[in-house]
Amino acid sequence: MKKKKLQTYKNHTRIPPLQHYVLMPISAITLVMAIISTIMSIVKGDFTFTTFLIMALVIRGIITGLLARMNALKVQDRTIRVEEQLRYFMLTGSPIDPKITLSQLIA
């Protein structure tokens, strides 16, 4: 039988390298370049639909990435809540008080 490793903050946290070291820097650089390009085209007086479209697509891409991450965290929070409610019910035989917040459940 495999021995279960004790869970700590250090071995529990996870930083997806592709997201944190590739996607986020590329998104930041792209946003900065799109802003510079938009400002330069406005100053030169040749602001076009293409300039607007590029800026809109960059912003849309960043928002999409942020929403994907936020939704995953929300699902994780819901899973924790259900797990803790089940544990509480198994131990006490009664449902957990609905006034207890997620932070209190996690603590």
Side-chain angles (χ1 to χ4, degrees), residues 49-89:
F49 178 72
T50 305
T51 307
F52 170 77
L53 188 61
I54 289 170
M55 188 65 174
L57 288 173
V58 168
I59 291 172
R60 185 197 66 79
I62 290 172
I63 290 172
T64 301
L66 290 173
L67 287 175
R69 183 74 175 152
M70 288 174 14
N71 287 338
L73 290 174
K74 186 165 284 244
V75 168
Q76 183 180 11
D77 289 346
R78 288 179 181 169
T79 304
I80 291 170
R81 177 179 287 281
V82 169
E83 267 183 37
E84 294 305 321
Q85 286 174 341
L86 178 62
R87 283 183 188 168
Y88 185 86
F89 185 78

Side-chain angles (χ1 to χ4, degrees), residues 21-53:
Y21 303 125
V22 178
L23 180 64
M24 290 173 77
I26 289 174
S27 296
I29 292 168
T30 306
L31 178 63
V32 169
M33 296 304 290
I35 290 170
I36 290 170
S37 175
T38 302
I39 291 172
M40 286 175 55
S41 68
I42 290 172
V43 169
K44 289 180 183 177
D46 63 348
F47 184 77
T48 62
F49 178 72
T50 305
T51 307
F52 170 77
L53 188 61

Side-chain angles (χ1 to χ4, degrees), residues 85-97:
Q85 286 174 341
L86 178 62
R87 283 183 188 168
Y88 185 86
F89 185 78
M90 288 171 61
L91 291 172
T92 65
S94 63
I96 201 164
D97 186 0

